[in-house]
Amino acid sequence: MNKALIPFAAIGGILLLCVLYFVSAGNSLVALDESVTTAWAQVENTYQRRADLIPNFVSAVKGYAKHEASVLQAVTEARSQVGQIKVNNPGDIRNFEKAQDQLSSSLSRLLVVAEKYPDLKASESFVNLQNTLEGTENRISVERMRFNEAAQKLNTQIRQFPTSFIAGMKGLKTREYFQSAPGTETAPKVEF
């Protein structure tokens, strides 16, 4: 090999390594971005499961709590508002959280109403439905945690040097975390 070509070969090798790094890092960022999108879809899926259960829950309570119509109406209205919110950009997560918090509050009031009716509490179908709803709430918590973990991995990569340059070239931005509603740090009072 000609000694004059050695510096060009070295420079070519270094350039090739840089290109391979940029391609690999870019693909890694895309994979992380898709993980966040998938995690969010699972959050929405779990909330949809809860929304699908609510009509059955309301129907089970309706027969026993006819005069508690305002609570039943609040649950129905909150459920319909949740179904109208679409998360298309980072700011929409706050609106989604707010609607879900209103629905959670309505469901809590409905559970208090249900406690007033011993026949309803003794109904096996109501107890099963209540247990399913409780399990769904636990799933929601897990999926929110998984979303936040996926967002944290993406956000870390986007903010680190030199992948921050690659993220900028690909148009990738950090994602918002799912946060609890204000006041949830205080334990609720339950009175019967």
Side-chain angles (χ1 to χ4, degrees), residues 72-106:
L72 297 170
Q73 183 176 351
V75 170
T76 304
E77 287 173 4
R79 180 182 174 271
S80 71
Q81 287 176 356
V82 162
Q84 295 173 1
I85 299 202
K86 301 294 179 216
V87 177
N88 297 320
N89 58 52
D92 294 339
I93 290 178
R94 300 254 187 268
N95 294 334
F96 184 85
E97 288 177 47
K98 185 178 176 184
Q100 291 295 342
D101 290 340
Q102 288 173 342
L103 180 57
S104 294
S105 175
S106 297

Side-chain angles (χ1 to χ4, degrees), residues 19-95:
V19 167
L20 289 175
Y21 173 77
F22 273 86
V23 168
S24 175
N27 288 341
S28 176
L29 285 170
V30 168
L32 289 171
D33 188 55
E34 284 302 312
S35 293
V36 174
T37 301
T38 300
W40 180 253
Q42 193 55 33
V43 168
E44 289 182 319
N45 178 44
T46 309
Y47 275 118
Q48 183 61 49
R49 182 177 192 264
R50 176 172 75 169
D52 293 344
L53 285 171
I54 290 171
N56 296 328
F57 195 65
V58 169
S59 293
V61 177
K62 248 183 198 176
Y64 290 94
K66 289 183 172 128
H67 64 283
E68 303 287 356
S70 63
V71 174
L72 297 170
Q73 183 176 351
V75 170
T76 304
E77 287 173 4
R79 180 182 174 271
S80 71
Q81 287 176 356
V82 162
Q84 295 173 1
I85 299 202
K86 301 294 179 216
V87 177
N88 297 320
N89 58 52
D92 294 339
I93 290 178
R94 300 254 187 268
N95 294 334

Side-chain angles (χ1 to χ4, degrees), residues 187-191:
K189 275 187 177 178
V190 179
E191 296 177 18

Side-chain angles (χ1 to χ4, degrees), residues 73-141:
Q73 183 176 351
V75 170
T76 304
E77 287 173 4
R79 180 182 174 271
S80 71
Q81 287 176 356
V82 162
Q84 295 173 1
I85 299 202
K86 301 294 179 216
V87 177
N88 297 320
N89 58 52
D92 294 339
I93 290 178
R94 300 254 187 268
N95 294 334
F96 184 85
E97 288 177 47
K98 185 178 176 184
Q100 291 295 342
D101 290 340
Q102 288 173 342
L103 180 57
S104 294
S105 175
S106 297
L107 284 173
S108 296
R109 288 193 310 269
L110 183 59
L111 287 171
V112 170
V113 167
E115 288 293 326
K116 292 180 183 178
Y117 299 92
D119 293 342
L120 178 61
K121 288 190 305 190
S123 165
E124 185 177 337
S125 63
F126 176 76
V127 171
N128 289 339
L129 191 57
Q130 190 174 9
N131 289 338
T132 302
L133 197 55
E134 181 180 321
T136 299
E137 294 299 319
N138 289 335
R139 287 180 185 186
I140 288 169
S141 177

Side-chain angles (χ1 to χ4, degrees), residues 1-16:
M1 181 177 218
N2 188 345
K3 288 185 179 182
L5 294 177
I6 291 175
F8 292 114
I11 292 171
I14 291 172
L15 286 175
L16 179 64

